[in-house]
Amino acid sequence: MRAIVVLLVFCLHVFALIVISASGALAQEMDVRETGRTEYILAVSWQPGFCETRPDRKECAGQDAGRYDATNFSLHGLWPVKKSYCGVADDIKARDRTGNWLDLPQLAIVQETAAKLMVAMPGTQSGLERHQWLRSGTCHGGTAQDYFATQLRFLDEINGSAVRTLFAGRIGQDVTEGEVKQAFAASFGKGAGDRVRMRCEQVRARSVVTGLTIGLSGDVSANAGLSDLILAAGSADFKCAKGAVDPAGIQ
């Protein structure tokens, strides 16, 4: 009888350890997925898909397979959550909202950064960088030079990652939610894909990928890598489960 009691106690002890271990693993997994608060949104475009939905934009004219943005993500913007037009005069704000962004004041950025933006941010042909600075950059806490230099650094990380490799290898085909999340996890850490949304738009009978939005949290002005900033953000609904990775040129 005593032996049975001892065995029962031992079994209960082992079961308790298993439950505690499983609970700890679950809690750790939940920490990866659920904790954090998104402070910024980094938006990158898949320009061929973007141009498929907006063929009349200046930056979409003449797009071909030899251009940088045909096989790499391009820069759309970095937005602080729930902040906009910080300290911007009402008349400038009104001008920005007309959408005629080339009429807005030019930015004080060094020539090297301006040259990089012309390649990495095709929307500069429509004055996108001026709009992004007024709406979001003025809330960044630094200069326009700092704001765009930070974004160019982040874009380099994205285009040097498994995410860009995935998209460049799937031109003319579909990518799925699981594949994109796996690519983010491979390059930026477990759970990074849970901080991402894939943007898709319907073009006739196709769902076309136009870009990604990535949640960030932390000091984006410092030299922190994307991995830490992404994993510190809150989770997001992926939205688009599958989309086509368009080649350059209007289909």
Side-chain angles (χ1 to χ4, degrees):
M1 182 68 179
R2 183 176 179 181
I4 294 174
V5 171
V6 170
L7 180 60
L8 180 59
V9 170
F10 174 78
C11 290
L12 289 172
H13 178 68
V14 170
F15 178 76
L17 289 176
I18 291 172
V19 170
I20 291 170
S21 176
S23 298
L26 178 60
Q28 186 177 18
E29 180 70 10
M30 288 178 67
D31 285 344
V32 170
R33 293 175 177 273
E34 301 300 336
T35 60
R37 179 174 61 88
T38 300
E39 297 177 319
Y40 297 89
I41 300 295
L42 173 65
V44 296
S45 296
W46 186 258
Q47 198 69 12
F50 173 86
C51 288
E52 190 71 23
T53 63
R54 297 164 180 82
D56 296 333
R57 295 291 290 267
K58 290 182 174 66
E59 58 267 33
C60 295
Q63 189 193 55
D64 59 46
R67 252 172 49 170
Y68 176 86
D69 59 347
T71 55
N72 289 275
F73 287 101
S74 59
L75 184 61
H76 188 80
L78 178 65
W79 315 322
V81 174
K82 296 182 180 179
K83 290 182 182 179
S84 62
Y85 296 107
C86 295
V88 177
D90 288 343
D91 61 324
I92 299 295
K93 194 185 303 184
R95 285 169 60 187
D96 177 64
R97 286 174 171 163
T98 66
N100 298 318
W101 298 331
L102 289 172
D103 293 337
L104 297 170
Q106 292 189 9
L107 303 180
I109 55 179
V110 301
Q111 186 174 356
E112 180 183 3
T113 301
K116 287 180 179 178
L117 273 180
M118 288 180 67
V119 175
M121 191 182 210
T124 54
Q125 296 179 53
S126 298
L128 177 62
E129 81 285 13
R130 305 181 195 189
H131 162 68
Q132 291 292 357
W133 167 250
L134 288 174
R135 193 192 70 175
S136 303
T138 51
C139 303
H140 182 66
T143 65
Q145 170 62 32
D146 296 335
Y147 177 62
F148 287 106
T150 294
Q151 292 179 70
L152 288 168
R153 179 167 60 83
F154 289 163
L155 184 68
D156 283 345
E157 281 200 62
I158 293 291
N159 282 327
S161 75
V163 182
R164 182 264 172 186
T165 301
L166 170 65
F167 275 74
R170 290 294 184 85
I171 292 174
Q173 304 174 53
D174 288 343
V175 292
T176 67
E177 175 178 352
E179 290 168 334
V180 176
K181 287 186 173 183
Q182 184 177 12
F184 267 93
S187 291
F188 301 108
K190 182 180 179 181
D194 294 320
R195 277 80 176 163
V196 177
R197 284 182 175 172
M198 188 161 75
R199 305 197 314 271
C200 299
E201 293 189 32
Q202 201 72 17
V203 179
R204 295 179 288 280
R206 300 185 306 136
S207 176
V208 174
V209 179
T210 59
L212 304 170
T213 55
I214 306 155
L216 307 178
S217 189
D219 187 357
V220 296
S221 300
N223 291 321
L226 270 182
S227 179
D228 289 340
L229 295 169
I230 293 172
L231 294 176
S235 59
D237 295 331
F238 197 78
K239 296 295 186 184
C240 177
K242 182 173 72 172
V245 182
D246 259 14
I250 307 304
Q251 306 305 302

